[in-house]
Amino acid sequence: MADLSLGEGNTPVVDLPRAAARVGLGRVRTKLELSNPTGSFKDRGAWLLVGAARTLGAAEVVEDSSGNAGAAVAAYAARAGLKAYIFVPADTPPAKLAQARAYGAQVVAVPGPREAATQAAVNFAREKGLFYASHNRSPFFTEGMVGFGEELLRLDPPPTDIVVPVGNGSLVAGIWLAYRRAGRWPPRIHGVQAEGCAPLAEAWERGLPEPVSVSPGPTVAGGIRVERPPRGAQVLGMVRASGGSMVKVADTDILDWAGFLAEKEGIFAEPTSAAAFAGLARLIRLGRLGVGADVLVPVTGSGLKAAIA
């Protein structure tokens, strides 16, 4: 599948001295996943997922997404010569829709919550007999995320804690699998969700092993607005086993950190990415991270994908 690669992965890691000073830590690093070909970490999984679809004989693929995964699948489908149908919530940022369309995908906007787009995609794939290229459920996509964890293993020194935005939790799974396959125990993994939709963070706070049922509200962090994460129990288990935790953050804090990263660190992060930094600050306020922590917070997607007022 080397012919499908667009150069995804092997993203740079840089220090964020002003972010570290703001939260009172000696060191904060980021991995610039926004430098992937379509501007988000989802390219890692889309490359393998679309490659698997082509190998299995698919000529057309169906995906549902809040934006980034849809753009990634559309790009790699174009690279593979496959037709892509991308189902998205009707309130998906226009830039993400334009990006998927630019790759030749047929974009279908679905009114209602995020789950409505998923159900519409599933129904369409079944009716037409097409390959359902779900980044939420496919093991191929998760395998693509393992590369992120493998790159962390090469860092010297390795981080003690990793803070990531969590919707479906593919990045958590990728980190966990990479470390365990290498015979290493992962750093503490901390997942961050938006207050408007936090089924995993709510479960964490209540000490439950499964995501709780939530009625999703509005949030600027659309990439993590997932009402029913299919791998929710698995993700919670990985976070707990790593010694990490889950937190939820307010939109005001997310937007504040998005502005800070742009103005003070020169990084234009989309709100979903900025949520992880808001989560970092909250973890410190809650006493879950000490001043000696060496933290890595990836910037999972570019701010060019979602306008910030």
Side-chain angles (χ1 to χ4, degrees), residues 68-95:
N68 284 341
V73 168
Y76 285 89
R79 180 80 165 167
L82 308 183
K83 172 69 175 179
Y85 300 88
I86 310 297
F87 287 73
V88 300
D91 61 354
T92 298

Side-chain angles (χ1 to χ4, degrees), residues 7-12 32-40 43 299 302:
E8 62 289 327
N10 293 309
T11 53
L32 296 173
E33 291 294 289
L34 80 176
S35 64
N36 277 299
T38 74
S40 90
D43 292 343
V299 175
S302 171

Side-chain angles (χ1 to χ4, degrees), residues 8 12 14 25 40 44 81 92 95 178 206 211 221 239 246 248 255 275-276 288 294:
E8 62 289 327
V14 299
L25 293 179
S40 90
R44 294 177 178 272
T92 298
R206 301 182 197 179
V239 168
M246 297 285 307
K248 56 185 177 180
L255 292 173
R288 298 183 192 173
D294 187 340

Side-chain angles (χ1 to χ4, degrees), residues 135-160:
H135 74 284
N136 296 333
R137 306 183 187 193
S138 171
F140 297 116
F141 191 90
T142 303
E143 280 297 321
M145 292 296 118
V146 172
F148 179 92
E150 291 173 342
E151 290 164 30
L152 295 183
L153 281 163
R154 298 197 290 267
L155 295 180
D156 185 20
T160 62

